[in-house]
Amino acid sequence: MRMIAAVFALLLVAARPPATVDDLGWLAGDWASEAGGRWTEESWTAPRGGVMLGVSRSGRGEVLRDYEFIRIAADDDGAISYIAMPQGGAPVTFALVRYDGTSATFENPAHDYPQRIAYVREGDTLTATIAAIDGAKARTWTYRRR
């Protein structure tokens, strides 16, 4: 009986259509985190034309420390990627490896750090985590919808 259930579950996963950028629309909005004088803001446009555009910035007080331009888009084969340009630098691409209606995980094992970027949304709370591919050196931000 367990074997039949396992095969059925595998078939359901295999039958799942590939992700589209629209499937990640739950990420859209303005998100902010503030604690101890430090702040981080992340904003995402709604999906349109097969792309979501994002920007992130963080600092302390009135001093900007970091910023990043981001986009989520499909390549010519339809594979979804998270493309980050920290400090406006060269783009770094992370492939979508897992998603559902409220979470998405992107990975690039060849990148130095981070190698994994994950988002989870629960209502008006968005949690973003970056880490090494094995989960080491994890850093997490908890945002509230603005």
Side-chain angles (χ1 to χ4, degrees), residues 27-32 41-45 55 124 126 143-146:
L27 187 59
D30 293 324
W31 305 93
E41 301 168 332
E42 194 161 311
S43 296
W44 286 95
T45 63
V55 63
D124 284 340
L126 179 69
Y143 300 106
R144 299 276 180 234
R145 181 179 287 283
R146 226 189 249 169

Side-chain angles (χ1 to χ4, degrees), residues 72-86:
I72 295 174
D75 66 15
D76 291 339
D77 295 328
I80 306 298
S81 294
Y82 178 105
I83 303 133
M85 297 174 63

Side-chain angles (χ1 to χ4, degrees), residues 16-17 19-28 31 52 96 98-105 119-123 125-126 145:
R16 182 179 184 175
T20 67
V21 173
D22 288 348
D23 292 326
L24 302 177
W26 52 265
L27 187 59
W31 305 93
M52 291 179 72
L96 178 66
R98 281 182 298 287
Y99 79 97
D100 62 29
T102 59
S103 69
T105 302
Y119 289 94
V120 177
R121 179 171 171 193
E122 294 180 22
T125 300
L126 179 69
R145 181 179 287 283

Side-chain angles (χ1 to χ4, degrees), residues 37-40 57-67:
R38 293 179 186 205
W39 49 270
T40 303
R57 63 182 177 179
S58 61
R60 180 185 277 273
E62 291 303 312
V63 177
L64 177 70
R65 296 217 170 168
D66 295 298
Y67 68 94

